[in-house]
Amino acid sequence: VAKTSLTSPPWPEVKLPDPVEEAKYHAEVVQKVNKMIATGQYGRLFAVVHFASKQWKITSEDLIMMDNVLEAECGDRIRMEKVLLVGADDFTLIGRPLLGKDLVRVEATVIEKTESWPKINMRFWKRHNYQRTKIIMNPQTVLRINTIEIFPCLS
Amino acid sequence: MVLLSAPRWLRSRLTDRFWRVQEVLKYARHFRGRKNRCYTLAIRSVRRAFVKSTKARREKKRFLRALWITRIEAASLEHGLKYPAFISNLLKSQVELNRKMIADLAIYEPKTFKSLAALAQRRRQEGFLAALGDGKEPEGIFSRIVHHY
C-alpha cells in the first residue's frame, strides 16, 4: 500500500520502557521513599486538602478561613480526610484522586466563628426609579492547621 | 378637650439630614473630584460603584479561572507540554486537582509541578500507543494496486 499522509499518525513515534525493568525501578523508588518517611528525613510537609468544596494548599501552623458555618465549637480538633496531595522537599505523594487515610493525617483546630464584613448588593436601573439594596454578611470560620503527619505504609 | 387631628402650626421637620447624608458620603470619601464632597454628585457615583461591585463579584470567578489557566499553560510549556494535553491527561490519570491548586503548585512547588507534567506526558504516550492498536495498516481500497494484463 502506498504511503499517504494518513499512513503514519501525526504524533512522533513513542517507545515505552520495558515493563519488567520499569516495575523494578518503581519498587526501588517506593522502598526508598518508605525508608525516608520512616527515618523522618523530610522537612516541612505541605498538603492539598479538599475541604468546604474548595481545595487548599496547607502546611502546619497555617490559618484558613472559609465562608460557611462548621458544626464544631471553637477549640475543637478536626481531622481533614480528603487529602489529594502530600509533598516534602524530595518527594511528593499524589493521590488518585485521594490518598489513603492510613497514609496521611491532617489535624486542625477551630479558632474563630464570625461574620464577614457587610457586603452591599445593589441593583439599579436608571430612569426607572428602581433601586434595591441588600447588605449580606456571610458567616465565616477560621481554622488553624496544627500538624500534617505521614506514615510509612507505601507498597 | 381632646383634639383628633394635629393643629396646622405643628410641623414634622427632618432633624437627622446630616447623618443621612454622611451615610452616603462615607462611601465616597476616596473618590476623585467634587463627588467626594457634594451629596448630589456623590449619590450618583456611590450607586454606580455598588452596582459595579455586585456585578464584578460574579465576574471575578471567571477572571481568576482565566488567570490560572494562563499560568498553567506557561508552566506546562516550560516542561514541553501544551495546556490541553496537560489537563486532559491529568484528568485521565484520575488526579483531581483544580486549576487554582495546579497554578499555586506551579508557582511555589516547581518540583511537584514537574512530576505532574511527567505523569501527564507518560499518560499521553500510553494513550497514543493504545490508539494505534495492533500497528497493522488496514487494507486500502483506493490504494490497492490494480494489475492490467
Side-chain angles (χ1 to χ4, degrees):
Chain A
V1 184
K3 292 265 173 200
T4 55
S5 63
L6 292 178
T7 36
S8 59
W11 53 80
E13 218 194 276
V14 185
K15 276 198 189 130
L16 286 185
D18 194 24
V20 174
E21 275 186 31
E22 258 226 288
K24 255 199 272 178
Y25 175 64
H26 286 333
E28 228 186 271
V29 168
V30 163
Q31 259 195 15
K32 238 191 190 176
V33 173
N34 236 353
K35 229 199 281 181
M36 280 181 79
I37 300 176
T39 48
Q41 281 171 17
Y42 45 81
R44 190 158 257 256
L45 281 175
F46 77 91
V48 170
V49 153
H50 184 281
F51 195 64
S53 77
K54 285 179 269 292
Q55 294 181 5
W56 312 81
K57 177 182 164 296
I58 52 180
T59 31
S60 45
E61 314 156 21
D62 224 1
L63 275 179
I64 277 189
M65 182 163 81
M66 53 185 122
D67 228 10
N68 53 18
V69 175
L70 209 57
E71 284 161 3
E73 300 306 312
C74 291
D76 280 357
R77 261 187 103 92
I78 289 182
R79 184 194 169 176
M80 297 196 195
E81 298 190 344
K82 294 185 204 165
V83 182
L84 296 156
L85 223 189
V86 162
D89 195 24
D90 295 322
F91 60 88
T92 352
L93 304 169
I94 306 179
R96 322 235 268 164
L98 294 175
L99 289 170
K101 291 201 324 196
D102 52 345
L103 191 52
V104 204
R105 196 182 164 89
V106 180
E107 301 246 312
T109 332
V110 182
I111 291 189
E112 204 184 331
K113 288 161 84 161
T114 44
E115 294 196 307
S116 75
W117 61 285
K119 302 185 191 176
I120 304 187
N121 245 11
M122 188 176 209
R123 298 186 294 170
F124 175 78
W125 285 352
K126 52 186 178 183
R127 296 184 293 269
H128 288 263
N129 196 20
Y130 173 76
Q131 186 178 280
R132 305 275 181 270
T133 316
K134 188 172 183 185
I135 304 186
I136 296 184
M137 313 215 295
N138 302 318
Q140 289 174 335
T141 326
V142 180
L143 295 177
R144 163 91 66 186
I145 310 292
N146 299 115
T147 50
I148 306 178
E149 296 155 5
I150 41 175
F151 309 106
C153 38
L154 289 171
S155 64
Chain B
M1 226 170 50
V2 175
L3 295 173
L4 290 172
S5 56
R8 215 171 60 164
W9 43 266
L10 275 178
R11 298 158 68 196
S12 91
R13 306 184 64 201
L14 205 58
T15 44
D16 57 349
R17 186 173 283 121
F18 171 75
W19 292 281
R20 291 192 196 191
V21 159
Q22 289 305 306
E23 252 179 33
V24 168
L25 285 179
K26 81 175 182 227
Y27 290 113
R29 283 306 178 200
H30 62 277
F31 289 173
R32 199 185 202 206
R34 266 195 280 184
K35 33 189 209 276
N36 59 23
R37 296 185 291 280
C38 312
Y39 179 75
T40 338
L41 304 173
I43 184 97
R44 288 183 235 157
S45 303
V46 163
R47 267 188 209 135
R48 282 175 69 78
F50 283 159
V51 166
K52 281 178 194 240
S53 75
T54 332
K55 291 189 190 161
R57 248 176 266 140
R58 300 173 55 191
E59 283 172 28
K60 180 178 176 184
K61 306 162 181 48
R62 300 177 211 172
F63 168 73
L64 280 179
R65 184 168 164 131
L67 179 70
W68 297 328
I69 290 178
T70 322
R71 289 184 175 172
I72 298 173
E73 196 167 344
S76 61
L77 283 172
E78 280 178 12
H79 292 281
L81 266 179
K82 294 194 193 167
Y83 171 81
F86 180 66
I87 287 274
S88 58
N89 292 114
L90 266 194
L91 283 174
K92 286 176 196 169
S93 345
Q94 287 180 298
V95 175
E96 271 162 40
L97 294 164
N98 63 10
R99 284 144 180 87
K100 165 175 139 197
M101 273 349 292
I102 307 179
D104 288 345
L105 288 176
I107 298 174
Y108 295 112
E109 318 278 344
K111 298 185 203 165
T112 311
F113 189 81
K114 186 172 180 184
S115 60
L116 285 173
L119 177 68
Q121 179 76 308
R122 175 56 190 263
R123 176 68 183 76
R124 191 168 187 232
Q125 287 165 354
E126 288 182 4
F128 289 156
L129 283 179
L132 280 179
D134 286 337
K136 293 188 202 149
E137 286 184 21
E139 295 166 8
I141 300 178
F142 286 103
S143 36
R144 251 186 270 161
I145 298 175
V146 183
H147 299 278
H148 297 284
Y149 292 112

